[in-house]
């Protein structure tokens, strides 16, 4: 199984059927494995790294791929 994380391009936000057409699923299909795509539309690099760490602690993957986004896109924390 592969794990992918990134922004809307990795998520497949702009696609009609993202679970068939987004690049993570196409790679998994080509490799003959399942894909767990935890990408988030508008996600930052910080978010993608955090999601990868969270998921790899709980489960083992054969391959982890991160779709990097713009360097200027940072995760923001809202303080109460």
């Amino acid at each position: 199984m592969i794990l992918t994380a990134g922004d809307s391009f990795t998520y497949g936000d702009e696609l009609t059927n993202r679970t068939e057409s987004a690049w993570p699923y196409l790679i998994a299909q080509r490799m003959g494995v399942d894909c767990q795509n935890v990408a988030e539309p508008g996600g930052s690099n910080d978010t993608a790294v955090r999601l990868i760490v969270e998921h790899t602690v709980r489960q083992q993957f054969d391959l982890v791929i991160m779709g990097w986004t713009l360097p200027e896109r940072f995760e923001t924390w809202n303080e109460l």
Side-chain angles (χ1 to χ4, degrees), residues 10-80:
T10 303
Y11 179 81
D13 194 41
E14 69 283 355
L15 303 171
T16 304
N17 188 340
R18 70 181 200 89
T19 58
E20 289 183 7
S21 303
W23 65 262
Y25 300 102
L26 296 175
I27 290 172
Q29 180 184 25
R30 183 98 170 195
M31 293 175 63
V33 297
D34 291 328
C35 176
Q36 187 173 350
N37 184 2
V38 297
E40 295 182 357
S44 67
N45 292 325
D46 299 328
T47 300
V49 169
R50 182 177 42 78
L51 289 169
I52 288 171
V53 170
E54 288 175 3
H55 284 81
T56 55
V57 166
R58 293 189 303 244
Q59 183 177 352
Q60 186 173 356
F61 295 90
D62 299 306
L63 179 64
V64 176
I65 304 172
M66 180 169 163
W68 292 93
T69 187
L70 299 172
E72 302 86 33
R73 187 182 285 176
F74 293 103
E75 190 169 66
T76 58
W77 298 92
N78 294 327
E79 294 186 26
L80 298 175

